[in-house]
Amino acid sequence: QLNMAKKKEAFLKEFKEGPLHFKPTYKFDLYSEVYDTSEKKRKPAWTDRILWKVKNLCEVVSKEGEFPEEEHLISVTLNSYASHMSYGISDHKPVTGTFRLEMKPLFSDPLVVLNPEGEWSAKRDAFIRYSTVPDFPRSAWDWIGLFQAHFRHLNDYVTYAWVEDDEFYSDKDSKQIYMSASEIPVKGGEFLLCYFSNNLQSVVGISEPFQV
């Protein structure tokens, strides 16, 4: 029924789905893996499904000529697609999918290059040297955050420094700021630095991972 609808309904045509390598997920007797034994004896069906579609940025901006129509900035790969028979509180069995998301950068070179200087530890203040591309729109509200190497969200920073308030040294090629030793994790581990641009509302530079 879904596949027939995808052929007829325009809004469904671009949605994708993985192969159904699991049993129909409906209708089960509660707390069992037995299909409907009631008087209605409903036929088993794959009623629980995961469809996805990537809305390519070029669909939005190609009218302005900013990106070629064939440019795909985001790609999605389905890694797994399965039902879970152990759950019995519903007459449906839940379905999950895991995906790999890949995004192409809008810029081939970083707008900001970050380098932690020297050895980092909670025993002394740390220093960061960074440089920007010419005419980079720096703001007093820009900040550099210290993140664990496998962070997932911008709010996961361990600590941060304002690029102007915490500036220690500046010349025509680069600038240097410091982070207080009291803000550096005592346990240490693998970390990296991210430069957040207030004007661009985006991370525009990420350092190589380093040890604290």
Side-chain angles (χ1 to χ4, degrees):
Q1 187 177 9
L2 175 61
N3 289 333
M4 289 189 291
K6 287 177 67 175
K7 293 178 181 179
K8 295 180 180 179
E9 302 293 340
F11 78 96
L12 283 174
K13 288 182 178 179
E14 294 184 25
F15 280 87
K16 297 179 181 179
E17 183 184 21
L20 295 172
H21 290 159
F22 50 85
K23 296 193 300 183
T25 57
Y26 177 83
K27 176 184 190 290
F28 288 88
D29 292 342
L30 293 182
Y31 304 103
S32 77
E33 294 184 22
V34 178
Y35 288 111
D36 189 15
T37 58
S38 69
E39 293 181 358
K40 293 184 178 180
K41 295 189 183 299
R42 293 178 177 85
K43 291 182 179 180
W46 285 276
T47 59
D48 305 274
R49 313 282 281 272
I50 298 175
L51 308 180
W52 78 91
K53 173 190 174 184
V54 177
K55 187 174 183 180
N56 192 358
L57 265 182
C58 71
E59 295 178 17
V60 179
V61 300
S62 61
K63 294 180 181 179
E64 306 295 329
E66 296 181 31
F67 298 100
E69 290 191 8
E70 69 274 12
E71 185 71 31
H72 290 273
L73 300 175
I74 301 174
S75 65
V76 174
T77 303
L78 178 67
N79 288 339
S80 69
Y81 187 28
S83 64
H84 302 274
M85 293 292 149
S86 60
Y87 291 86
I89 61 174
S90 169
D91 52 6
H92 293 257
K93 298 298 183 182
V95 172
T96 60
T98 58
F99 297 83
R100 177 182 176 86
L101 175 65
E102 296 184 22
M103 294 175 284
K104 292 183 179 179
L106 294 178
F107 298 95
S108 57
D109 297 316
L111 300 182
V112 177
V113 176
L114 293 159
N115 292 293
E117 297 211 315
E119 294 185 3
W120 280 47
S121 76
K123 296 180 180 179
R124 55 180 177 272
D125 291 346
F127 295 92
I128 304 164
R129 185 176 295 276
Y130 74 93
S131 59
T132 66
V133 297
D135 301 321
F136 174 73
R138 201 171 76 132
S139 163
W141 296 104
D142 290 359
W143 53 275
I144 296 175
L146 178 67
F147 294 82
Q148 289 186 320
H150 300 292
F151 77 98
R152 296 186 176 185
H153 192 277
L154 192 61
N155 290 338
D156 293 341
Y157 59 83
V158 176
T159 185
Y160 64 89
W162 298 105
V163 296
E164 288 197 4
D165 291 351
D166 297 313
E167 187 174 292
F168 178 75
Y169 173 81
S170 175
D171 61 30
K172 65 177 183 178
D173 296 318
S174 64
K175 298 181 183 294
Q176 191 178 46
I177 66 172
Y178 74 93
M179 282 186 173
S180 171
S182 63
E183 302 293 334
I184 298 174
V186 175
K187 290 184 178 180
E190 190 175 43
F191 291 81
L192 48 76
L193 300 165
C194 294
Y195 187 111
F196 181 81
S197 166
N198 184 67
N199 288 327
L200 299 177
Q201 285 296 295
S202 177
V203 171
V204 294
I206 301 177
S207 75
E208 293 293 329
F210 62 96
Q211 292 294 320
V212 171

